[in-house]
Amino acid sequence: MKQSIHPHQKHQRNKSLMVEDPEVLASRLNLVLNELKGVMQDRKDRIEELRNQIIMLENDNDDMEKRVSELIMDAF
């Protein structure tokens, strides 16, 4: 038969399992923050790349529009 544990004792046991060393928690937090910084920097870099691609595409479109206009004008 399984030994019953008084609810108060069970709560105390669970509570003691949840308590962790502050240095361990600080280390984990530091690791998570560093990972988050890396992800944020990667996203920032990707956004910058996309902005540069957009600028290049807009410039190409402007060039093509001018060329089409020149061709139309030459046709007449």
Side-chain angles (χ1 to χ4, degrees):
M1 180 191 262
K2 189 175 180 181
Q3 180 183 6
S4 69
I5 299 175
H6 187 274
H8 180 69
Q9 289 174 328
K10 189 175 183 181
H11 177 72
Q12 288 293 355
R13 189 177 71 186
N14 288 340
K15 188 176 176 184
S16 67
L17 292 175
M18 292 182 349
V19 175
E20 293 195 36
D21 180 11
E23 289 182 16
V24 171
L25 291 175
S27 176
R28 287 182 185 170
L29 178 59
N30 192 37
L31 178 65
V32 169
L33 289 175
N34 285 332
E35 289 177 3
L36 184 57
K37 283 180 189 177
V39 168
M40 290 174 65
Q41 186 61 49
D42 290 346
R43 288 183 178 181
K44 184 178 177 181
D45 293 343
R46 182 66 179 138
I47 288 168
E48 186 64 27
E49 287 175 17
L50 292 171
R51 284 182 177 153
N52 288 334
Q53 287 178 0
I54 289 168
I55 290 170
M56 290 182 352
L57 290 170
E58 287 175 341
N59 289 338
D60 289 347
N61 283 344
D62 288 344
D63 291 343
M64 283 192 282
E65 188 177 328
K66 287 177 187 173
R67 182 68 181 136
V68 167
S69 292
E70 290 172 359
L71 289 171
I72 290 172
M73 293 303 283
D74 288 346
F76 294 106

